[in-house]
Amino acid sequence: MREPETKEQKFLVDGIIADLALYLVEDDGMTVNDALATVYNSEYYNLLNDLDSELYLRSSLNNYHYLRRELDYGKP
């Protein structure tokens, strides 16, 4: 697993994480703290942080669909 190495990569990952949390707040009525905990505790978070997956290059909404699948059905 290769984690974000540059400021730009970290910025992209952090932006996606923030967006994922906002989607959970909007769709599930979670608090911001609960939404962030959900993202950080998901298996998908590990995939997002793996640069080899290149998920950080996809849109936040595309990433949200993968996270949503994990939350609804189990593993991503």
Side-chain angles (χ1 to χ4, degrees):
M1 181 173 147
R2 201 167 53 98
E3 294 187 8
E5 300 164 352
T6 67
K7 289 180 183 180
E8 291 82 7
Q9 292 167 333
K10 183 73 173 140
F11 177 80
L12 290 171
V13 170
D14 288 346
I16 291 170
I17 291 168
D19 289 344
L20 295 177
L22 287 175
Y23 289 138
L24 291 173
V25 168
E26 291 173 1
D27 291 351
D28 293 354
M30 292 184 181
T31 65
V32 172
N33 287 339
D34 287 343
L36 285 170
T38 299
V39 173
Y40 286 124
N41 292 318
S42 70
E43 290 185 36
Y44 189 72
Y45 173 75
N46 294 325
L47 291 173
L48 179 60
N49 272 298
D50 182 0
L51 291 186
D52 293 330
S53 72
E54 296 188 349
L55 292 172
Y56 72 101
L57 298 173
R58 297 181 183 204
S59 72
S60 295
L61 189 56
N62 184 268
N63 279 286
Y64 179 63
H65 289 295
Y66 286 109
L67 175 64
R68 188 82 251 169
R69 186 178 328 152
E70 176 183 344
L71 297 177
D72 291 343
Y73 303 110
K75 291 187 178 184

